[in-house]
Amino acid sequence: MSRKTGGKEKKSGPPTITNRQAWANYHILDTVEAGIMLTGAEVKSIRAGQVNISDAHARVMKDEMWLMGMNVNPYRHINTFVVPDPMRSRKLLLHRKQIEKLDVALSEKGLTVIPLKLYFKKGFAKIELGVAKGKKEYDKREDIKTRDAKREMDRAMKR
């Protein structure tokens, strides 16, 4: 049953898929929003939440940006025998200057472009990309220490 609020029905939209591992394993230096070219069945599958972006990365090839390693599970209710490869490379829709900026960032040592979020905006699939630098083990330990200290302070303030 739907719940009425203020005369309008509230309905839940398509899910936002986030890459939680990105924030734990990388320092995110810059972000950019890009469109993504998908087939109709892939869009339905993403709306159903059947996608994994944690192992994906972006690469520039021939002045175009491509997303590699994103796994979109095939849509179950598809009525055709031709099912696209779940791990295929997908073209990202960016302006030329954005691609050049990301290409310069990729040429630096230790930087990579990874997806942070996959969501729908005005009916179009969008992906938020982040220019990232890998964290060292001691950086991860430092993050855990600060998170634990913050948690202890919050507990002390609550009492």
Side-chain angles (χ1 to χ4, degrees):
M1 219 177 225
S2 64
R3 196 169 136 192
K4 293 204 170 203
T5 55
K8 293 186 178 180
E9 275 193 33
K10 255 208 165 182
K11 60 181 183 178
S12 62
T16 298
I17 291 89
T18 57
N19 186 357
R20 293 186 200 166
Q21 288 180 336
W23 297 99
N25 296 332
Y26 297 95
H27 293 288
I28 307 300
L29 307 175
D30 191 21
T31 60
V32 65
E33 180 184 71
I36 184 167
M37 288 183 72
L38 301 167
T39 64
E42 288 176 330
V43 173
K44 288 185 175 210
S45 186
I46 290 172
R47 284 188 188 276
Q50 300 296 314
V51 64
N52 182 6
I53 62 171
S54 62
D55 298 330
H57 65 282
R59 186 179 294 165
V60 177
M61 291 188 295
K62 297 181 183 174
D63 295 331
E64 294 178 343
M65 195 77 165
W66 292 83
L67 186 65
M68 315 285 192
M70 182 172 84
N71 186 4
V72 179
N73 291 334
Y75 187 60
R76 290 184 295 191
H77 307 294
I78 193 166
N79 195 13
T80 182
F81 295 108
V82 181
V83 179
D85 180 27
M87 295 294 289
R88 72 179 182 90
S89 300
R90 292 164 179 90
K91 186 176 177 181
L92 297 175
L93 306 173
L94 290 163
H95 294 286
R96 174 127 358 254
K97 288 187 179 186
Q98 290 175 319
I99 294 172
E100 290 169 0
K101 180 181 169 188
L102 291 173
D103 194 22
V104 169
L106 284 171
S107 65
E108 290 184 34
K109 188 176 180 190
L111 294 184
T112 186
V113 177
I114 57 170
L116 302 175
K117 270 195 272 188
L118 179 63
Y119 54 93
F120 285 90
K121 185 175 180 183
K122 296 183 181 177
F124 294 102
K126 301 286 184 177
I127 192 158
E128 184 178 345
L129 300 171
V131 177
K133 184 173 183 147
K135 283 186 182 178
K136 304 284 187 209
E137 196 63 36
Y138 57 84
D139 290 332
K140 293 179 188 179
R141 284 196 298 264
E142 189 66 34
D143 287 346
I144 292 169
K145 284 180 188 176
T146 57
R147 190 171 49 230
D148 288 344
K150 184 181 182 307
R151 189 178 302 130
E152 287 298 321
M153 285 175 39
D154 289 343
R155 283 183 187 158
M157 294 294 286
K158 205 175 211 183
R159 292 183 202 142

